[in-house]
Amino acid sequence: MQSHTLEFSQPAHLVAKSLIGRRFLVSGCGGIIVETEAYAPDDPASHSFRGPTARNKAMFGNPGTAYVYRSYGIHWCLNFVCTCGSAVLIRAMEPHWGLDVMRERRDVSDDRSLCSGPGKLTQALGVDGGFDRWALDQYPFELGATRIDDLNILSGRRVGITRAVDIPWRFGLGGSPFLSRPFN
DNA sequence: CCGTCGATGTACT
DNA sequence: GTACATCGACGGC
């Protein structure tokens, strides 16, 4: 069995779970998404919680577009916009396509650290702020229309936040060695 | 193995 | 000035 094409106009936590196990490429580089987090408009941990700003404008744009923001002044983080003010942070992937290019961008010896975190993943994929608001169904993005069902999908607390810490909107592929960190 | 810390753009007090 | 959806270098065990 396989699921249908991903519909972004639904609650972000459903999209986040549906993205696990799905193929995602940027200009031919990428792999299988193994970890995501959902953020919602009424969610104190979400960038959109206090309304639009120059940075988070993309979160209020069209479903199925990218929201790329700078994290801690250094890294880039990639989100998929869902309903208005909600998005899914792509936290980790199992790298599979364009490995040589991604290894060159990341300069690490262990493939497990190529995409095992939101900042690592954007560096490996070559994603930066210039991709903000771009449509995810057009090149250079390629998102798998189907995926294997019956995956062992774990959920838990989101990483690196201080508000709404008990909302279990982090999702991951059980047993994957490519997670940013284990689930509890 | 583990914890601490610096880097530093954007948003908020 | 302080916080932050992070990462990697470094030091101690």
Side-chain angles (χ1 to χ4, degrees), chain A residues 32-144:
Chain A
I32 304 298
I33 296 171
V34 298
E35 183 181 336
T36 59
E37 280 177 1
Y39 291 88
D42 59 349
D43 165 10
S46 174
H47 288 173
S48 61
F49 184 65
R50 297 167 191 275
T53 65
R55 176 180 69 166
N56 70 16
K57 182 168 64 172
M59 285 190 81
F60 299 89
N62 292 331
T65 57
Y67 165 43
V68 184
Y69 73 93
R70 207 186 263 287
S71 175
Y72 288 88
I74 301 184
H75 310 288
W76 296 101
C77 287
L78 170 65
N79 295 252
F80 295 171
V81 176
C82 302
T83 53
C84 187
S86 68
V88 175
L89 172 67
I90 310 303
R91 287 195 55 90
M93 290 196 325
E94 176 171 343
H96 196 82
W97 295 280
L99 283 171
D100 289 342
V101 173
M102 293 195 287
R103 287 172 184 139
E104 197 166 318
R105 287 172 175 152
R106 289 274 301 133
D107 192 27
V108 292
S109 55
D110 187 352
D111 283 353
R112 283 174 300 183
S113 65
L114 273 182
C115 304
S116 57
K120 301 177 187 179
L121 180 150
T122 55
Q123 186 182 19
L125 295 181
V127 168
D128 61 21
F131 291 75
D132 194 41
R133 306 187 78 187
W134 286 27
L136 295 166
D137 61 356
Q138 294 174 37
Y139 199 85
F141 295 124
E142 296 173 70
L143 183 60

Side-chain angles (χ1 to χ4, degrees), chain A residues 5-16 18 63 81-83 86 88:
Chain A
T5 299
L6 183 57
E7 175 53 65
F8 283 102
S9 297
Q10 59 179 329
H13 68 277
L14 299 180
V15 176
S18 172
V81 176
C82 302
T83 53
S86 68
V88 175

